[in-house]
Structures are given as structure tokens and as C-alpha cells.
Amino acid sequence: APNSPRTFTNTATARAGSLNVSASDTVSVYGPQLTISKECIGGPFFRNDNATARITVTNGDTIAKNVVVTDQPGSQAQFVSASMDGRNLSGTSWNIGTMQPRESKVITATFKLKGAGTITNQASVTADCFGGAADSCTWMVLAPPALQQSMVDRLGGDNTEDNFPVNTEFNYLLTLENEGDLPLQVKMTVTFPSEIDLVGTKAFLVG
């Protein structure tokens, strides 16, 4: 494994005429042990909202060199800004450099959320003599509040001018659909011409 100790054995030999003696010693060298945690802050969000991710990188008991953190927000999030001179290349990256034993770095990146539903954001860390580590988090992006309305008379067609005898009762079907992801408080007002008398109403909740 990349973070397992590497073992080195050193042997010394001395010769004097027919005498030959040797001694050896074995040492284990440990590479850096880095951990990374990722937090998607806040939410839920709506499309085109800005959202921030917080990344924490912590080193273990040895010096870590050439530490690089990369954030991959995916195609549904657009880079806005980053702390600690984060660069927007193929993802957002930070050249942390050298981290001392038990040192931690906290960095942030802000993105504009372009999609809807669940957006996953993954961050990873690499360093010399370290195989890498990764963590991810998710943002929930809701569809904005939206209403769709239709009106159909039961004897004729949709939004048509039909001819009915005087004093004929007929029905209108009015449909309201919430196309968003949040509940709405809706008040609907229907205005009829003075030549039409309202006989009664019924309301049905579907779904």
C-alpha cells in the first residue's frame, strides 16, 4: 500500500586477512498520512444560487511535501471563487506545498449551481510518497416555485367559443399544477361575465 512503511536494510562488512565480520540494521520509513473531509455548506438551494464547499486537509506525524488539493464540482456547478488562491483549471486546485506534522488547512470554494436535484462535489488530496485520499458531499437543488394553469369547458374544447342554448348548465374544469419542489399557498379567483350565473363549485386535490 502507498502509505505502508518502506523497509531499508544497511549492511557493513569488515575483512582482515581470513577474518570476515558483518553487521546489519533495518529501518522503516513512513510516508505522510493525509486525510481530507468535505462539507457542502447550507441548502437546500434553487438553481443559479451560489453554494460554498469547505475542505479540511490534515497531515499525520511526518512532513508532507508537494501537497495538492483538487475540487471537482461536476458539470452542474460553475466556479465562482476560492480561498487561498485556488485556481479554476480542470476543477479547482490548490498548491498547498509543504505541510508540517499534524498541520491542518481549511479552504473554501464557491460555485453557482446550474442543475437541479442532487449535485455531488468531490475533493481529493495528493502529495509526494502518498497515494491520495478523497471525500465528497452533496447539495440539494430544488426547482423554483411555479404554477401551471389550464381551463377546459366540459361540453366544448380547450379555450374555444362554444354555442350553448340559453339556460344550459355546463362545467368548466380549472387545473392548477405546482411544478416546483416546495408547497405553495395559492388563492385562485375566477371571474365570469355577467351573463353567466355560478351554480356551484367543487375542488379536488390530486397527487
Side-chain angles (χ1 to χ4, degrees), residues 7 56 66-67 70 90 104 126 137 144 156 168 178 189:
T7 301
T56 303
N66 294 322
V67 178
T70 303
S90 55
S104 291
T126 60
C137 62
T168 299
N178 180 6
T189 302

Side-chain angles (χ1 to χ4, degrees), residues 53-129:
R54 180 165 52 228
I55 305 164
T56 303
V57 178
T58 302
N59 191 20
D61 294 328
T62 61
I63 293 177
K65 295 183 177 181
N66 294 322
V67 178
V68 176
V69 176
T70 303
D71 189 304
Q72 297 288 352
S75 61
Q76 299 300 309
Q78 177 183 337
F79 175 83
V80 175
S81 63
S83 67
M84 294 181 60
D85 299 322
R87 297 178 300 165
N88 182 33
L89 300 173
S90 55
T92 308
S93 63
W94 294 263
N95 290 321
I96 303 299
T98 299
M99 291 184 66
Q100 298 300 317
R102 301 191 179 278
E103 181 182 7
S104 291
K105 297 285 188 181
V106 179
I107 50 185
T108 59
T110 299
F111 303 91
K112 182 183 290 292
L113 304 178
K114 306 298 291 184
T118 300
I119 296 179
T120 300
N121 187 326
Q122 178 171 296
S124 60
V125 59
T126 60
D128 290 351
C129 301

Side-chain angles (χ1 to χ4, degrees), residues 9-15 20-26:
T9 300
N10 186 20
T11 301
T13 301
R15 293 183 178 89
N20 187 356
V21 293
S22 63
S24 61
D25 188 33
T26 300

Side-chain angles (χ1 to χ4, degrees), residues 8 43 46 74 86 121 158 161 163 196 200:
F8 299 90
F46 292 109
N121 187 326
D158 187 3
E161 296 182 2
N163 297 315
I196 296 179

